[in-house]
Amino acid sequence: MDGAFASSSHANHTEAAIVRALRASGDMTLSLVAEIAGTVVGHIAFFAGRHRCAHGDWFGLGPLAVDPVYQGQGAGSALVSHGLADLHTNGAAGCVVLGDPRFYGRFGFMSDGALRYGDLPTRYIQRIVFAGGAPSGEIHYAPAFDLAG
Ligand SMILES: CC(C)(COP(=O)(O)OP(=O)(O)OC[C@H]1O[C@@H](n2cnc3c(N)ncnc32)[C@H](O)[C@@H]1OP(=O)(O)O)[C@@H](O)C(=O)NCCC(=O)NCCS
């Protein structure tokens, strides 16, 4: 799925390596692929976060990628929607994502400015709450994301 990030202006082309590292380290909680006419065209990963509360565990979304040839046909949205539904059904308290609010906002992700990730502008640090209160403070990603440099 490396090609999905090739045309992205913000991607740093290590996403495929991050997926492999998440899998190897056992941090990947959920991995889904999207198929169109029998061809795998996209992938999404979810990983366990460090934040736990009385209402359940928190998870992170990423990386998400759809082959450029098949973008704009709903695969990315289907991956996010199905992944979030799976987390919700299995008792997650919520999920955090770093990404474009114009894309992730449609699924219910939002930023209230209370989460931080280094000096990344807080509008890109979004969360969706399934149960309990909204989290605050610094986000700690799985070690596999250290590959993102
Ligand atoms: C982002 C991505 C996963 C979307 O997958 P997709 O299959 O094209 O998405 P869908 O067809 O379900 O949805 C397309 C919608 O998302 C919007 N969209 C796609 N990428 C977007 C982006 N980076 N920012 C804002 N909106 C985006 C499209 O404009 C479209 O909007 P519309 O439904 O109002 O027309 C895909 O473009 C991709 O793999 N991009 C490169 C890697 C990347 O940026 N991953 C996300 C890292 S945060």
Side-chain angles (χ1 to χ4, degrees):
M1 201 51 57
D2 302 38
F5 291 97
S7 59
S8 172
S9 59
H10 65 273
N12 58 16
H13 311 295
T14 56
E15 284 80 0
I18 292 171
V19 169
R20 284 191 290 271
L22 276 174
R23 199 166 273 140
S25 63
D27 285 328
M28 188 179 286
T29 302
L30 178 62
S31 171
L32 301 174
V33 295
E35 284 185 13
I36 294 179
T39 300
V40 173
V41 303
H43 177 262
I44 193 169
F46 292 87
F47 57 94
R50 290 189 195 167
H51 186 65
R52 295 184 162 74
C53 67
H55 299 277
D57 295 340
W58 276 78
F59 295 85
L61 185 167
L64 164 66
V66 172
D67 186 323
V69 173
Y70 295 95
Q71 288 177 9
Q73 298 181 42
S77 297
L79 286 168
V80 176
S81 297
H82 280 82
L84 292 176
D86 194 303
L87 292 182
H88 196 174
T89 300
N90 285 288
C95 183
V96 171
V97 70
L98 306 181
D100 195 323
R102 292 170 301 168
F103 180 68
Y104 289 107
R106 68 189 70 196
F107 308 103
F109 282 101
M110 62 160 291
S111 170
D112 62 2
L115 288 172
R116 293 186 307 279
Y117 187 70
D119 57 5
L120 187 68
T122 56
R123 67 181 179 279
Y124 295 114
I125 311 167
Q126 301 145 79
R127 83 290 187 278
I128 183 168
V129 180
F130 299 137
S136 62
E138 184 77 20
I139 292 176
H140 299 283
Y141 260 46
F145 285 87
D146 293 345
L147 292 167

